[in-house]
Amino acid sequence: MRLHRLTITAFGPFGGTQTVDFDELSAAGLFLLHGPTGAGKTSVLDAVCYALYGSVPGARQGGAQGTALRSDHAAPATRTEVTLDLTVAGRRLEITRQPPWERPKKRGTGTTLDKAQTWLREYDTTAGTWKDLSRSHQEIGEEITQLLGMSREQFCQVVLLPQGDFARFLRADAEARGKLLGRLFDTRRFADVEKRLAERRRATEAQVRDGDAALLADAHRMQQAAGDAMRLPDLAPGEPGLAEAVLGAAAVARSTAREQLTVAEGTLAAAESAQAAAGRALDDVRELARLQRRFTEARERAARLEEGAGAYREAQALMERARKAEAVAPALDLRETAEAEHRRAADAEARARALLPESYADAGAAGLAAAARRAAEELGGLDSARRAERRLAELLDERTGLDRQERADADVLQEADAWLDGWEETRTALQARVDSAQQAASLAEQLAVRREPARQRLKAARLRDQLAADTNQAVEQVRTAQEEAQGARQHWLDLKEQRLNGIAAELAAHLTDGEPCAVCGATEHPAPARKVAGHVDREAEEQALAAYQRADEQRAEAERNLGVVREALAAATAEAGGTPTEQLAREAEELEEQYAQARRGAAELHAAQERLRQAGHEHERRVAARQEAAVRSAARVGHRERLESERAALEEELDRAKGALDSVAARAAQLERRTALLTDAADAARAAEDTAQRLKDADARLADAAFRAGFDTPREAAAALLDATAHRELQRRLDAWQNEEAAVRAVLAEADTAAAARQQPADLASAQLAADTAARRLREAASAHDAAARRCAELDRLSARATASVRRLAPLREEYDRVARMAGLTAGTSADNERRMRLESYVLAARLEQVAAAATVRLRRMSSGRYTLVHSDDRTGRGRSGLGLHVVDAWTGRERDTATLSGGETFFASLALALGLADVVTDEAGGVRLDTLFIDEGFGSLDDQTLDEVLDVLDSLRERDRSVGIVSHVPDLRRRIHAQLEVVKGRSGSVLRQRGVG
């Protein structure tokens, strides 16, 4: 990596734009970056780091880049920017970065925040131009990190060599060295390996413990199944030998359970034989008892049958008479039906005759039928009279309608005549209203053109008056702000002058005996300057500067406001003219009143036109209605005469037809009722005569059927007849007696029953007791057998599961043993790790050994062959070993700790260590060549001879076109190094000057 050009604008102490030409400085190989304390030497290196990585080293990074990096001396409109031109990995690149910027708003007051911006360009040697690559912060950061092969921390340690950090590195303990080396060489992956192995060990250990816990749970289940036949091993999950002990105990339990099952099988077989014999004996006793009870019950039933024999014979006689009466039943039913029909017919005849006049009381069915025919004939002759009556009603309705139409037409004629008489007057009034509304609409259009200009002039006049007052106020504010800004500026300059006069006392306040001076590098301070009364420190100066900047911003803001107000006043005056605002307001108000009145008049135009049009339509409708009413009146005269003639003829015909009644309809209703009553009476008389004849025939057939069945009278036959329920009950009693008699005879005839009756009574209780005892013994033996079988099956199942679990856990146990050994070895806790060195420490120790070897090459030259840096992996106290660093003194031949070196020896030892570390980190980053290096401070602690040797070593770094920049304010270096970059500070910020270059 080679730097070509750096351009800085408004960055750190640099208020303007400064440019560093590294190509000219690098031509000499060794160049000096010097300047007063606080001028900004380190800010040049910060700008290089910021251009590459977008941030500055260490604590100077700050919380908000836009505020921390921006120069306090920069003009408000100047944006902070850093541009770096460099060559890396054979590519010529240009990086431009702008941090976030809080700038004044272009319009209005206040500030706005612009986001950070980044540009990356590459020089095309073929075309001879720069081409854009990216504007993305992330893409540019990844590209630069990949090309350099190192992070920001590594870059700051390798390219920007801070000697103070390496001096502390020499004196630090192993833990502090480990943190620094871990950041530089990024050994987090080795720490991750340690962490991963520890996690693997814990995970596999938990899995093994879980497997052993499950195995012990199965062992407890086997113990519960085996009872006292199994003893569990006194081991916890994870302890060695647990699996073998559990499997051995399970084998013993299975053998004992099988022996118990064999004994239970023999006992069960004997109990089954005894239970079968007792069961057969119980069945025989039960059968004997059943037969004896059957014989006794049969004898008792036979005795009961003998007692009920008389009742049985009476029931048989009653059933015989009922069977004979069943032959007479149809005749009885026929006679009852005929009698019921005759009663109903006689009742209907009596009701029908009661509705007839007394003249028909003795008439027979034939006479009643003849009278009904005569009434029907008379009713048929009234049809013509009914039609005449209906037509007469229609004529009356038509005449009523004609009267109603005549009255309506008269009303129409009267209303039309009244309305038409005032038509001309109405039309004239409506036309006058239309003309008035049209004149108002024309006036409103003329006034509308004048309204808006009047409003605008009035608005501008009011704004003119307001702005005139605002202008006076703004002038006063500008004068006040100018006076305050001038006073604040003078106060700031006075304080700054006082601080510069007492700057020596401020620097002396930080001196410590034995520590080098930040200005001259001396470690002795015989007469440091003292602060006098009223001393001005940096904080007071910065507060005064901030107060001045705020006052100046307020002055500028007040002047901008005054300009804006004056421009607005001129525009308002041009528009409003010189007319007073009150006069313009009165004119505008009068114009608005005239316009509103004209608008109200114009609004009536449409309504007036609509009323005139509707009145014309109404005139036409009224004229047409009067004509139509006259035509209808003439037509009604002839129609009324025809209706009167037809009405007279119909009334004469109806008088003849209705007789003494009021209407033909009443006469027809009278005849219809008489015909219906006579017809009903004739039908009822004929029905009564027919039913009387059928009743007489039924009585004759009943007497003949009773005689043939053996009964003296029909009444006796009816009494012997049984209904269905009584017949079924009597038949059931007869069948039951017969069935019982047959069953008793069958039982008494059974040979085995008779033989059982001759034996002694059966002892069922003794036989049942013997059978229950045998069954109980069988159940006990079967339960014991089932328990033994279940015990064997459960032990076999659990043993098989335990065996499978042991086989399944075997690879996991092996993995756990292997991972535990590896985790202990990498963590430094294993007995195999003699030095208790962690894996990360081991890797860092190897890196530190490389750094020590590389640093020794330069340290021997700087110390004239006296000192050599060596790596030590010895343990310190009870801690872990691996990151020890010692120096070997060739003059004494002894090896001692680097913390025993003097101040000057510590400097060139740390410089050698920094250069050696840069070489190792460069190789680690992929061998990226670093053509530009910077060494920051520390040369004031060297004597002349050592300084010459150190400069010779640094001068040797120029080999193969490499350049080294030394950052220091030691005066002697200005004589020794001709190529210089000087940082000059002033009131308006620092500037850069290059000296001793072509």
Short mmCIF file of all heavy atoms in Angstrom, two decimals, residues 391-416:
data_model
loop_
_atom_site.label_atom_id
_atom_site.label_comp_id
_atom_site.label_asym_id
_atom_site.label_seq_id
_atom_site.Cartn_x
_atom_site.Cartn_y
_atom_site.Cartn_z
N ARG A 391 -131.62 -4.62 -15.17
CA ARG A 391 -131.43 -3.55 -16.15
C ARG A 391 -131.93 -2.22 -15.60
O ARG A 391 -131.30 -1.18 -15.80
CB ARG A 391 -132.17 -3.89 -17.44
CG ARG A 391 -132.11 -2.81 -18.49
CD ARG A 391 -130.70 -2.46 -18.81
NE ARG A 391 -130.60 -1.36 -19.78
CZ ARG A 391 -129.54 -0.62 -19.97
NH1 ARG A 391 -128.46 -0.84 -19.23
NH2 ARG A 391 -129.54 0.35 -20.87
N LEU A 392 -133.03 -2.25 -14.82
CA LEU A 392 -133.54 -1.03 -14.24
C LEU A 392 -132.52 -0.44 -13.26
O LEU A 392 -132.33 0.78 -13.21
CB LEU A 392 -134.87 -1.31 -13.54
CG LEU A 392 -135.55 -0.10 -12.87
CD1 LEU A 392 -135.86 0.99 -13.90
CD2 LEU A 392 -136.85 -0.53 -12.17
N ALA A 393 -131.86 -1.31 -12.48
CA ALA A 393 -130.84 -0.81 -11.53
C ALA A 393 -129.69 -0.17 -12.29
O ALA A 393 -129.14 0.85 -11.86
CB ALA A 393 -130.35 -1.96 -10.66
N GLU A 394 -129.32 -0.77 -13.44
CA GLU A 394 -128.24 -0.19 -14.23
C GLU A 394 -128.63 1.16 -14.78
O GLU A 394 -127.80 2.10 -14.82
CB GLU A 394 -127.88 -1.14 -15.37
CG GLU A 394 -127.27 -2.45 -14.90
CD GLU A 394 -127.06 -3.43 -16.06
OE1 GLU A 394 -127.45 -3.05 -17.19
OE2 GLU A 394 -126.51 -4.52 -15.83
N LEU A 395 -129.89 1.31 -15.21
CA LEU A 395 -130.35 2.60 -15.73
C LEU A 395 -130.28 3.68 -14.66
O LEU A 395 -129.90 4.82 -14.93
CB LEU A 395 -131.78 2.47 -16.26
CG LEU A 395 -131.94 1.62 -17.53
CD1 LEU A 395 -133.44 1.51 -17.91
CD2 LEU A 395 -131.19 2.22 -18.69
N LEU A 396 -130.65 3.32 -13.45
CA LEU A 396 -130.60 4.30 -12.37
C LEU A 396 -129.15 4.73 -12.10
O LEU A 396 -128.87 5.91 -11.83
CB LEU A 396 -131.23 3.71 -11.10
CG LEU A 396 -132.75 3.45 -11.19
CD1 LEU A 396 -133.24 2.75 -9.93
CD2 LEU A 396 -133.53 4.74 -11.42
N ASP A 397 -128.25 3.78 -12.15
CA ASP A 397 -126.83 4.12 -11.93
C ASP A 397 -126.32 5.04 -13.03
O ASP A 397 -125.56 6.00 -12.75
CB ASP A 397 -125.98 2.85 -11.87
CG ASP A 397 -126.27 2.03 -10.63
OD1 ASP A 397 -126.82 2.59 -9.67
OD2 ASP A 397 -125.95 0.80 -10.63
N GLU A 398 -126.72 4.77 -14.28
CA GLU A 398 -126.26 5.62 -15.38
C GLU A 398 -126.79 7.05 -15.23
O GLU A 398 -126.06 8.02 -15.46
CB GLU A 398 -126.71 5.04 -16.71
CG GLU A 398 -125.97 3.75 -17.10
CD GLU A 398 -126.39 3.27 -18.48
OE1 GLU A 398 -127.00 4.07 -19.22
OE2 GLU A 398 -126.12 2.10 -18.80
N ARG A 399 -128.05 7.16 -14.80
CA ARG A 399 -128.61 8.49 -14.63
C ARG A 399 -127.90 9.25 -13.50
O ARG A 399 -127.66 10.46 -13.60
CB ARG A 399 -130.12 8.40 -14.35
CG ARG A 399 -130.82 9.76 -14.40
CD ARG A 399 -132.31 9.62 -14.24
NE ARG A 399 -132.65 9.07 -12.93
CZ ARG A 399 -133.92 8.86 -12.51
NH1 ARG A 399 -134.92 9.11 -13.33
NH2 ARG A 399 -134.15 8.38 -11.32
N THR A 400 -127.57 8.51 -12.45
CA THR A 400 -126.82 9.15 -11.35
C THR A 400 -125.45 9.62 -11.84
O THR A 400 -124.98 10.70 -11.48
CB THR A 400 -126.67 8.16 -10.20
OG1 THR A 400 -127.97 7.73 -9.76
CG2 THR A 400 -125.91 8.81 -9.05
N GLY A 401 -124.79 8.79 -12.68
CA GLY A 401 -123.49 9.19 -13.22
C GLY A 401 -123.60 10.42 -14.09
O GLY A 401 -122.71 11.30 -14.06
N LEU A 402 -124.69 10.50 -14.89
CA LEU A 402 -124.87 11.68 -15.73
C LEU A 402 -125.06 12.93 -14.88
O LEU A 402 -124.50 14.00 -15.20
CB LEU A 402 -126.08 11.48 -16.65
CG LEU A 402 -125.89 10.41 -17.75
CD1 LEU A 402 -127.20 10.22 -18.52
CD2 LEU A 402 -124.80 10.82 -18.71
N ASP A 403 -125.78 12.81 -13.78
CA ASP A 403 -125.96 13.97 -12.90
C ASP A 403 -124.62 14.41 -12.30
O ASP A 403 -124.33 15.60 -12.20
CB ASP A 403 -126.95 13.62 -11.79
CG ASP A 403 -128.35 13.35 -12.33
OD1 ASP A 403 -128.64 13.79 -13.47
OD2 ASP A 403 -129.13 12.68 -11.63
N ARG A 404 -123.81 13.42 -11.90
CA ARG A 404 -122.52 13.75 -11.28
C ARG A 404 -121.60 14.41 -12.31
O ARG A 404 -120.91 15.40 -11.99
CB ARG A 404 -121.87 12.47 -10.75
CG ARG A 404 -120.59 12.70 -9.98
CD ARG A 404 -120.14 11.44 -9.25
NE ARG A 404 -120.00 10.30 -10.14
CZ ARG A 404 -120.86 9.28 -10.20
NH1 ARG A 404 -121.91 9.25 -9.41
NH2 ARG A 404 -120.67 8.28 -11.04
N GLN A 405 -121.57 13.92 -13.57
CA GLN A 405 -120.75 14.54 -14.61
C GLN A 405 -121.23 15.95 -14.93
O GLN A 405 -120.42 16.86 -15.18
CB GLN A 405 -120.80 13.68 -15.88
CG GLN A 405 -120.12 12.33 -15.74
CD GLN A 405 -120.29 11.48 -16.99
OE1 GLN A 405 -120.87 11.95 -17.99
NE2 GLN A 405 -119.81 10.24 -16.92
N GLU A 406 -122.51 16.15 -14.89
CA GLU A 406 -123.05 17.48 -15.20
C GLU A 406 -122.62 18.50 -14.15
O GLU A 406 -122.23 19.61 -14.47
CB GLU A 406 -124.58 17.41 -15.28
CG GLU A 406 -125.21 18.73 -15.73
CD GLU A 406 -126.70 18.58 -15.96
OE1 GLU A 406 -127.22 17.47 -15.72
OE2 GLU A 406 -127.33 19.55 -16.38
N ARG A 407 -122.65 18.06 -12.87
CA ARG A 407 -122.21 18.97 -11.81
C ARG A 407 -120.70 19.26 -11.92
O ARG A 407 -120.25 20.40 -11.73
CB ARG A 407 -122.52 18.36 -10.45
CG ARG A 407 -124.00 18.35 -10.12
CD ARG A 407 -124.22 18.02 -8.64
NE ARG A 407 -123.72 16.70 -8.31
CZ ARG A 407 -124.43 15.57 -8.42
NH1 ARG A 407 -125.69 15.62 -8.86
NH2 ARG A 407 -123.90 14.41 -8.08
N ALA A 408 -119.91 18.22 -12.26
CA ALA A 408 -118.45 18.43 -12.38
C ALA A 408 -118.13 19.38 -13.53
O ALA A 408 -117.28 20.27 -13.40
CB ALA A 408 -117.75 17.09 -12.59
N ASP A 409 -118.79 19.19 -14.67
CA ASP A 409 -118.53 20.08 -15.80
C ASP A 409 -118.95 21.50 -15.48
O ASP A 409 -118.29 22.47 -15.93
CB ASP A 409 -119.28 19.57 -17.03
CG ASP A 409 -118.64 18.31 -17.59
OD1 ASP A 409 -117.45 18.05 -17.25
OD2 ASP A 409 -119.29 17.56 -18.35
N ALA A 410 -119.98 21.66 -14.71
CA ALA A 410 -120.41 23.02 -14.33
C ALA A 410 -119.33 23.68 -13.48
O ALA A 410 -119.02 24.87 -13.65
CB ALA A 410 -121.74 22.94 -13.59
N ASP A 411 -118.74 22.90 -12.56
CA ASP A 411 -117.67 23.46 -11.73
C ASP A 411 -116.46 23.83 -12.57
O ASP A 411 -115.82 24.88 -12.36
CB ASP A 411 -117.26 22.45 -10.65
CG ASP A 411 -118.38 22.21 -9.65
OD1 ASP A 411 -119.29 23.06 -9.56
OD2 ASP A 411 -118.33 21.14 -8.98
N VAL A 412 -116.14 22.96 -13.55
CA VAL A 412 -114.99 23.25 -14.41
C VAL A 412 -115.21 24.52 -15.20
O VAL A 412 -114.32 25.38 -15.33
CB VAL A 412 -114.73 22.04 -15.34
CG1 VAL A 412 -113.72 22.42 -16.43
CG2 VAL A 412 -114.23 20.86 -14.55
N LEU A 413 -116.39 24.68 -15.76
CA LEU A 413 -116.69 25.88 -16.56
C LEU A 413 -116.62 27.13 -15.70
O LEU A 413 -116.06 28.16 -16.12
CB LEU A 413 -118.09 25.74 -17.19
CG LEU A 413 -118.19 24.72 -18.32
CD1 LEU A 413 -119.66 24.55 -18.74
CD2 LEU A 413 -117.36 25.16 -19.53
N GLN A 414 -117.15 27.05 -14.49
CA GLN A 414 -117.14 28.22 -13.62
C GLN A 414 -115.71 28.61 -13.25
O GLN A 414 -115.33 29.79 -13.29
CB GLN A 414 -117.97 27.93 -12.36
CG GLN A 414 -118.07 29.13 -11.42
CD GLN A 414 -118.93 28.81 -10.20
OE1 GLN A 414 -119.43 27.69 -10.09
NE2 GLN A 414 -119.08 29.77 -9.32
N GLU A 415 -114.87 27.58 -12.86
CA GLU A 415 -113.49 27.86 -12.45
C GLU A 415 -112.66 28.39 -13.62
O GLU A 415 -111.87 29.32 -13.47
CB GLU A 415 -112.85 26.58 -11.88
CG GLU A 415 -111.43 26.79 -11.38
CD GLU A 415 -110.83 25.50 -10.84
OE1 GLU A 415 -111.54 24.47 -10.84
OE2 GLU A 415 -109.64 25.52 -10.44
N ALA A 416 -112.84 27.79 -14.84
CA ALA A 416 -112.09 28.23 -16.01
C ALA A 416 -112.44 29.66 -16.39
O ALA A 416 -111.55 30.47 -16.72
CB ALA A 416 -112.35 27.28 -17.18
#
